[in-house]
Amino acid sequence: ERKIVDGWIRTTLYANDKALPKEQRLKGATARMALYTYLHALGKEAGHAGSGDAPTLLAGIQRYTGCPAAERQLSPEESANTAVHFALGGYLSTEFLIASGIYNLLRHPDQWQRLRRSPDLIPNAVHEMLRFDAPFQLADRWVEEDTDLGGRTIPAGSLVTVVYGSANRDPARFSDPDRFDIERPINDDNLGFGRGIHYCIGARLAKWIACAAIEALIEHCPTARIAEKPSWARDPYFRSLPKLLVSWY
């Protein structure tokens, strides 16, 4: 069951890749429907669980996610949507961060050697990985009220797309923004985890996992190098490497 769900999660990414054949995009859309249906059923099941039953993931989401001041728990539909966001925005994006981070380290040998000599720079390096190739490149947002931006008014109710990847390469915020630099000072302008009320709820866990992965690579594969140039996935929302081949002999 876990393997099937994992397959659905990964296949959903095909739906947004307009460069893929229609048949493959349809497969992604079908996987997304299956994932939502599966989690929605679990959400209903969690809602009917007795107080003495062992808590499930969906029951926990319904009980603890949302506004603490609100008495109403999340509905099965809301908890299922939240679980999907956890799967894509937490599980897959952390995997993408590790893969693209390792790729950028190894294609910049001076940075890789610097990190090998000074592993204490790993948290700083992960922060730069988020800036340089953020797993989330785009996010859709609804405009709550009329907003002036760059001399133009965006009417309330408009749907806008925020391009995190572009903001993270803004020369007004980052010096030499197209340079991968693991010693770049950490600052709050990095939007790799979003901002404000949309800031990633799992940011600390994702950074911890990424740091552990890079530390393990340094310890066990210090001579690592890229074995084959990878291809980037073409989903406009995610920045990911479906496969990264590394050799260390």
Side-chain angles (χ1 to χ4, degrees), residues 148-167:
D148 291 327
L149 182 65
R152 298 183 62 180
T153 299
I154 303 176
S158 300
L159 179 64
V160 299
T161 299
V162 181
V163 187
Y164 291 136
S166 178

mmCIF file with all atom_site columns, all heavy atoms in Angstrom, residues 148-167:
data_model
loop_
_atom_site.group_PDB
_atom_site.id
_atom_site.type_symbol
_atom_site.label_atom_id
_atom_site.label_alt_id
_atom_site.label_comp_id
_atom_site.label_asym_id
_atom_site.label_entity_id
_atom_site.label_seq_id
_atom_site.pdbx_PDB_ins_code
_atom_site.Cartn_x
_atom_site.Cartn_y
_atom_site.Cartn_z
_atom_site.occupancy
_atom_site.B_iso_or_equiv
_atom_site.pdbx_formal_charge
_atom_site.auth_seq_id
_atom_site.auth_comp_id
_atom_site.auth_asym_id
_atom_site.auth_atom_id
_atom_site.pdbx_PDB_model_num
ATOM 1   N N   . ASP A 1 148 ? -1.443  47.381 -4.900  1.00 0.00 ? 148 ASP A N   1
ATOM 2   C CA  . ASP A 1 148 ? -0.576  48.062 -5.859  1.00 0.00 ? 148 ASP A CA  1
ATOM 3   C C   . ASP A 1 148 ? 0.786   47.389 -5.867  1.00 0.00 ? 148 ASP A C   1
ATOM 4   O O   . ASP A 1 148 ? 1.413   47.208 -4.821  1.00 0.00 ? 148 ASP A O   1
ATOM 5   C CB  . ASP A 1 148 ? -0.411  49.543 -5.481  1.00 0.00 ? 148 ASP A CB  1
ATOM 6   C CG  . ASP A 1 148 ? -1.700  50.325 -5.686  1.00 0.00 ? 148 ASP A CG  1
ATOM 7   O OD1 . ASP A 1 148 ? -2.455  49.984 -6.612  1.00 0.00 ? 148 ASP A OD1 1
ATOM 8   O OD2 . ASP A 1 148 ? -1.949  51.271 -4.905  1.00 0.00 ? 148 ASP A OD2 1
ATOM 9   N N   . LEU A 1 149 ? 1.228   47.015 -7.049  1.00 0.00 ? 149 LEU A N   1
ATOM 10  C CA  . LEU A 1 149 ? 2.514   46.342 -7.182  1.00 0.00 ? 149 LEU A CA  1
ATOM 11  C C   . LEU A 1 149 ? 3.192   46.815 -8.458  1.00 0.00 ? 149 LEU A C   1
ATOM 12  O O   . LEU A 1 149 ? 2.670   46.621 -9.561  1.00 0.00 ? 149 LEU A O   1
ATOM 13  C CB  . LEU A 1 149 ? 2.330   44.816 -7.211  1.00 0.00 ? 149 LEU A CB  1
ATOM 14  C CG  . LEU A 1 149 ? 3.599   43.973 -7.300  1.00 0.00 ? 149 LEU A CG  1
ATOM 15  C CD1 . LEU A 1 149 ? 4.457   44.152 -6.049  1.00 0.00 ? 149 LEU A CD1 1
ATOM 16  C CD2 . LEU A 1 149 ? 3.259   42.500 -7.487  1.00 0.00 ? 149 LEU A CD2 1
ATOM 17  N N   . GLY A 1 150 ? 4.348   47.465 -8.297  1.00 0.00 ? 150 GLY A N   1
ATOM 18  C CA  . GLY A 1 150 ? 5.096   47.925 -9.453  1.00 0.00 ? 150 GLY A CA  1
ATOM 19  C C   . GLY A 1 150 ? 4.331   48.906 -10.316 1.00 0.00 ? 150 GLY A C   1
ATOM 20  O O   . GLY A 1 150 ? 4.475   48.899 -11.553 1.00 0.00 ? 150 GLY A O   1
ATOM 21  N N   . GLY A 1 151 ? 3.500   49.736 -9.692  1.00 0.00 ? 151 GLY A N   1
ATOM 22  C CA  . GLY A 1 151 ? 2.750   50.730 -10.455 1.00 0.00 ? 151 GLY A CA  1
ATOM 23  C C   . GLY A 1 151 ? 1.470   50.213 -11.069 1.00 0.00 ? 151 GLY A C   1
ATOM 24  O O   . GLY A 1 151 ? 0.781   50.946 -11.785 1.00 0.00 ? 151 GLY A O   1
ATOM 25  N N   . ARG A 1 152 ? 1.118   48.962 -10.784 1.00 0.00 ? 152 ARG A N   1
ATOM 26  C CA  . ARG A 1 152 ? -0.119  48.390 -11.325 1.00 0.00 ? 152 ARG A CA  1
ATOM 27  C C   . ARG A 1 152 ? -0.994  47.919 -10.169 1.00 0.00 ? 152 ARG A C   1
ATOM 28  O O   . ARG A 1 152 ? -0.491  47.490 -9.126  1.00 0.00 ? 152 ARG A O   1
ATOM 29  C CB  . ARG A 1 152 ? 0.177   47.223 -12.265 1.00 0.00 ? 152 ARG A CB  1
ATOM 30  C CG  . ARG A 1 152 ? 0.994   47.592 -13.480 1.00 0.00 ? 152 ARG A CG  1
ATOM 31  C CD  . ARG A 1 152 ? 1.178   46.423 -14.400 1.00 0.00 ? 152 ARG A CD  1
ATOM 32  N NE  . ARG A 1 152 ? -0.083  45.927 -14.927 1.00 0.00 ? 152 ARG A NE  1
ATOM 33  C CZ  . ARG A 1 152 ? -0.177  44.887 -15.767 1.00 0.00 ? 152 ARG A CZ  1
ATOM 34  N NH1 . ARG A 1 152 ? 0.907   44.251 -16.154 1.00 0.00 ? 152 ARG A NH1 1
ATOM 35  N NH2 . ARG A 1 152 ? -1.361  44.505 -16.201 1.00 0.00 ? 152 ARG A NH2 1
ATOM 36  N N   . THR A 1 153 ? -2.288  47.966 -10.355 1.00 0.00 ? 153 THR A N   1
ATOM 37  C CA  . THR A 1 153 ? -3.225  47.512 -9.325  1.00 0.00 ? 153 THR A CA  1
ATOM 38  C C   . THR A 1 153 ? -3.709  46.104 -9.662  1.00 0.00 ? 153 THR A C   1
ATOM 39  O O   . THR A 1 153 ? -4.222  45.860 -10.766 1.00 0.00 ? 153 THR A O   1
ATOM 40  C CB  . THR A 1 153 ? -4.431  48.461 -9.214  1.00 0.00 ? 153 THR A CB  1
ATOM 41  O OG1 . THR A 1 153 ? -3.974  49.769 -8.850  1.00 0.00 ? 153 THR A OG1 1
ATOM 42  C CG2 . THR A 1 153 ? -5.408  47.958 -8.160  1.00 0.00 ? 153 THR A CG2 1
ATOM 43  N N   . ILE A 1 154 ? -3.540  45.201 -8.703  1.00 0.00 ? 154 ILE A N   1
ATOM 44  C CA  . ILE A 1 154 ? -4.045  43.839 -8.856  1.00 0.00 ? 154 ILE A CA  1
ATOM 45  C C   . ILE A 1 154 ? -5.372  43.772 -8.102  1.00 0.00 ? 154 ILE A C   1
ATOM 46  O O   . ILE A 1 154 ? -5.407  43.935 -6.884  1.00 0.00 ? 154 ILE A O   1
ATOM 47  C CB  . ILE A 1 154 ? -3.056  42.807 -8.280  1.00 0.00 ? 154 ILE A CB  1
ATOM 48  C CG1 . ILE A 1 154 ? -1.690  42.960 -8.947  1.00 0.00 ? 154 ILE A CG1 1
ATOM 49  C CG2 . ILE A 1 154 ? -3.588  41.394 -8.477  1.00 0.00 ? 154 ILE A CG2 1
ATOM 50  C CD1 . ILE A 1 154 ? -0.622  42.048 -8.370  1.00 0.00 ? 154 ILE A CD1 1
ATOM 51  N N   . PRO A 1 155 ? -6.487  43.572 -8.804  1.00 0.00 ? 155 PRO A N   1
ATOM 52  C CA  . PRO A 1 155 ? -7.798  43.597 -8.147  1.00 0.00 ? 155 PRO A CA  1
ATOM 53  C C   . PRO A 1 155 ? -7.965  42.447 -7.156  1.00 0.00 ? 155 PRO A C   1
ATOM 54  O O   . PRO A 1 155 ? -7.397  41.357 -7.326  1.00 0.00 ? 155 PRO A O   1
ATOM 55  C CB  . PRO A 1 155 ? -8.782  43.456 -9.319  1.00 0.00 ? 155 PRO A CB  1
ATOM 56  C CG  . PRO A 1 155 ? -7.997  43.774 -10.541 1.00 0.00 ? 155 PRO A CG  1
ATOM 57  C CD  . PRO A 1 155 ? -6.597  43.356 -10.255 1.00 0.00 ? 155 PRO A CD  1
ATOM 58  N N   . ALA A 1 156 ? -8.741  42.683 -6.118  1.00 0.00 ? 156 ALA A N   1
ATOM 59  C CA  . ALA A 1 156 ? -9.067  41.636 -5.151  1.00 0.00 ? 156 ALA A CA  1
ATOM 60  C C   . ALA A 1 156 ? -9.749  40.474 -5.873  1.00 0.00 ? 156 ALA A C   1
ATOM 61  O O   . ALA A 1 156 ? -10.522 40.670 -6.815  1.00 0.00 ? 156 ALA A O   1
ATOM 62  C CB  . ALA A 1 156 ? -9.989  42.191 -4.071  1.00 0.00 ? 156 ALA A CB  1
ATOM 63  N N   . GLY A 1 157 ? -9.436  39.270 -5.457  1.00 0.00 ? 157 GLY A N   1
ATOM 64  C CA  . GLY A 1 157 ? -10.013 38.085 -6.077  1.00 0.00 ? 157 GLY A CA  1
ATOM 65  C C   . GLY A 1 157 ? -9.209  37.546 -7.244  1.00 0.00 ? 157 GLY A C   1
ATOM 66  O O   . GLY A 1 157 ? -9.554  36.500 -7.798  1.00 0.00 ? 157 GLY A O   1
ATOM 67  N N   . SER A 1 158 ? -8.137  38.248 -7.624  1.00 0.00 ? 158 SER A N   1
ATOM 68  C CA  . SER A 1 158 ? -7.301  37.785 -8.734  1.00 0.00 ? 158 SER A CA  1
ATOM 69  C C   . SER A 1 158 ? -6.436  36.608 -8.287  1.00 0.00 ? 158 SER A C   1
ATOM 70  O O   . SER A 1 158 ? -6.045  36.503 -7.123  1.00 0.00 ? 158 SER A O   1
ATOM 71  C CB  . SER A 1 158 ? -6.394  38.911 -9.232  1.00 0.00 ? 158 SER A CB  1
ATOM 72  O OG  . SER A 1 158 ? -7.137  40.004 -9.688  1.00 0.00 ? 158 SER A OG  1
ATOM 73  N N   . LEU A 1 159 ? -6.149  35.736 -9.225  1.00 0.00 ? 159 LEU A N   1
ATOM 74  C CA  . LEU A 1 159 ? -5.212  34.646 -8.980  1.00 0.00 ? 159 LEU A CA  1
ATOM 75  C C   . LEU A 1 159 ? -3.862  35.035 -9.557  1.00 0.00 ? 159 LEU A C   1
ATOM 76  O O   . LEU A 1 159 ? -3.757  35.358 -10.743 1.00 0.00 ? 159 LEU A O   1
ATOM 77  C CB  . LEU A 1 159 ? -5.701  33.354 -9.634  1.00 0.00 ? 159 LEU A CB  1
ATOM 78  C CG  . LEU A 1 159 ? -4.783  32.127 -9.479  1.00 0.00 ? 159 LEU A CG  1
ATOM 79  C CD1 . LEU A 1 159 ? -4.661  31.719 -8.013  1.00 0.00 ? 159 LEU A CD1 1
ATOM 80  C CD2 . LEU A 1 159 ? -5.319  30.955 -10.306 1.00 0.00 ? 159 LEU A CD2 1
ATOM 81  N N   . VAL A 1 160 ? -2.832  35.072 -8.729  1.00 0.00 ? 160 VAL A N   1
ATOM 82  C CA  . VAL A 1 160 ? -1.490  35.433 -9.193  1.00 0.00 ? 160 VAL A CA  1
ATOM 83  C C   . VAL A 1 160 ? -0.538  34.274 -8.926  1.00 0.00 ? 160 VAL A C   1
ATOM 84  O O   . VAL A 1 160 ? -0.786  33.428 -8.069  1.00 0.00 ? 160 VAL A O   1
ATOM 85  C CB  . VAL A 1 160 ? -0.964  36.702 -8.483  1.00 0.00 ? 160 VAL A CB  1
ATOM 86  C CG1 . VAL A 1 160 ? -1.872  37.885 -8.760  1.00 0.00 ? 160 VAL A CG1 1
ATOM 87  C CG2 . VAL A 1 160 ? -0.832  36.478 -6.978  1.00 0.00 ? 160 VAL A CG2 1
ATOM 88  N N   . THR A 1 161 ? 0.524   34.235 -9.681  1.00 0.00 ? 161 THR A N   1
ATOM 89  C CA  . THR A 1 161 ? 1.559   33.219 -9.490  1.00 0.00 ? 161 THR A CA  1
ATOM 90  C C   . THR A 1 161 ? 2.821   33.891 -8.997  1.00 0.00 ? 161 THR A C   1
ATOM 91  O O   . THR A 1 161 ? 3.355   34.789 -9.658  1.00 0.00 ? 161 THR A O   1
ATOM 92  C CB  . THR A 1 161 ? 1.841   32.470 -10.807 1.00 0.00 ? 161 THR A CB  1
ATOM 93  O OG1 . THR A 1 161 ? 0.640   31.811 -11.239 1.00 0.00 ? 161 THR A OG1 1
ATOM 94  C CG2 . THR A 1 161 ? 2.923   31.435 -10.596 1.00 0.00 ? 161 THR A CG2 1
ATOM 95  N N   . VAL A 1 162 ? 3.266   33.494 -7.831  1.00 0.00 ? 162 VAL A N   1
ATOM 96  C CA  . VAL A 1 162 ? 4.484   34.031 -7.233  1.00 0.00 ? 162 VAL A CA  1
ATOM 97  C C   . VAL A 1 162 ? 5.655   33.168 -7.691  1.00 0.00 ? 162 VAL A C   1
ATOM 98  O O   . VAL A 1 162 ? 5.634   31.949 -7.533  1.00 0.00 ? 162 VAL A O   1
ATOM 99  C CB  . VAL A 1 162 ? 4.393   34.009 -5.690  1.00 0.00 ? 162 VAL A CB  1
ATOM 100 C CG1 . VAL A 1 162 ? 5.661   34.591 -5.079  1.00 0.00 ? 162 VAL A CG1 1
ATOM 101 C CG2 . VAL A 1 162 ? 3.171   34.784 -5.219  1.00 0.00 ? 162 VAL A CG2 1
ATOM 102 N N   . VAL A 1 163 ? 6.668   33.787 -8.272  1.00 0.00 ? 163 VAL A N   1
ATOM 103 C CA  . VAL A 1 163 ? 7.818   33.046 -8.807  1.00 0.00 ? 163 VAL A CA  1
ATOM 104 C C   . VAL A 1 163 ? 8.968   33.144 -7.808  1.00 0.00 ? 163 VAL A C   1
ATOM 105 O O   . VAL A 1 163 ? 9.773   34.075 -7.843  1.00 0.00 ? 163 VAL A O   1
ATOM 106 C CB  . VAL A 1 163 ? 8.239   33.592 -10.191 1.00 0.00 ? 163 VAL A CB  1
ATOM 107 C CG1 . VAL A 1 163 ? 9.316   32.697 -10.795 1.00 0.00 ? 163 VAL A CG1 1
ATOM 108 C CG2 . VAL A 1 163 ? 7.039   33.682 -11.116 1.00 0.00 ? 163 VAL A CG2 1
ATOM 109 N N   . TYR A 1 164 ? 9.024   32.173 -6.901  1.00 0.00 ? 164 TYR A N   1
ATOM 110 C CA  . TYR A 1 164 ? 10.071  32.162 -5.883  1.00 0.00 ? 164 TYR A CA  1
ATOM 111 C C   . TYR A 1 164 ? 11.466  32.080 -6.509  1.00 0.00 ? 164 TYR A C   1
ATOM 112 O O   . TYR A 1 164 ? 12.412  32.710 -6.038  1.00 0.00 ? 164 TYR A O   1
ATOM 113 C CB  . TYR A 1 164 ? 9.898   30.959 -4.950  1.00 0.00 ? 164 TYR A CB  1
ATOM 114 C CG  . TYR A 1 164 ? 8.700   31.015 -4.056  1.00 0.00 ? 164 TYR A CG  1
ATOM 115 C CD1 . TYR A 1 164 ? 7.881   29.893 -3.875  1.00 0.00 ? 164 TYR A CD1 1
ATOM 116 C CD2 . TYR A 1 164 ? 8.371   32.170 -3.361  1.00 0.00 ? 164 TYR A CD2 1
ATOM 117 C CE1 . TYR A 1 164 ? 6.789   29.936 -3.035  1.00 0.00 ? 164 TYR A CE1 1
ATOM 118 C CE2 . TYR A 1 164 ? 7.270   32.220 -2.523  1.00 0.00 ? 164 TYR A CE2 1
ATOM 119 C CZ  . TYR A 1 164 ? 6.482   31.094 -2.355  1.00 0.00 ? 164 TYR A CZ  1
ATOM 120 O OH  . TYR A 1 164 ? 5.397   31.139 -1.529  1.00 0.00 ? 164 TYR A OH  1
ATOM 121 N N   . GLY A 1 165 ? 11.575  31.278 -7.563  1.00 0.00 ? 165 GLY A N   1
ATOM 122 C CA  . GLY A 1 165 ? 12.879  31.082 -8.192  1.00 0.00 ? 165 GLY A CA  1
ATOM 123 C C   . GLY A 1 165 ? 13.461  32.383 -8.702  1.00 0.00 ? 165 GLY A C   1
ATOM 124 O O   . GLY A 1 165 ? 14.665  32.631 -8.593  1.00 0.00 ? 165 GLY A O   1
ATOM 125 N N   . SER A 1 166 ? 12.617  33.250 -9.257  1.00 0.00 ? 166 SER A N   1
ATOM 126 C CA  . SER A 1 166 ? 13.080  34.551 -9.744  1.00 0.00 ? 166 SER A CA  1
ATOM 127 C C   . SER A 1 166 ? 13.460  35.461 -8.588  1.00 0.00 ? 166 SER A C   1
ATOM 128 O O   . SER A 1 166 ? 14.486  36.142 -8.627  1.00 0.00 ? 166 SER A O   1
ATOM 129 C CB  . SER A 1 166 ? 11.983  35.207 -10.597 1.00 0.00 ? 166 SER A CB  1
ATOM 130 O OG  . SER A 1 166 ? 12.380  36.480 -11.032 1.00 0.00 ? 166 SER A OG  1
ATOM 131 N N   . ALA A 1 167 ? 12.627  35.473 -7.540  1.00 0.00 ? 167 ALA A N   1
ATOM 132 C CA  . ALA A 1 167 ? 12.915  36.322 -6.379  1.00 0.00 ? 167 ALA A CA  1
ATOM 133 C C   . ALA A 1 167 ? 14.234  35.947 -5.722  1.00 0.00 ? 167 ALA A C   1
ATOM 134 O O   . ALA A 1 167 ? 14.968  36.811 -5.224  1.00 0.00 ? 167 ALA A O   1
ATOM 135 C CB  . ALA A 1 167 ? 11.775  36.213 -5.367  1.00 0.00 ? 167 ALA A CB  1
#
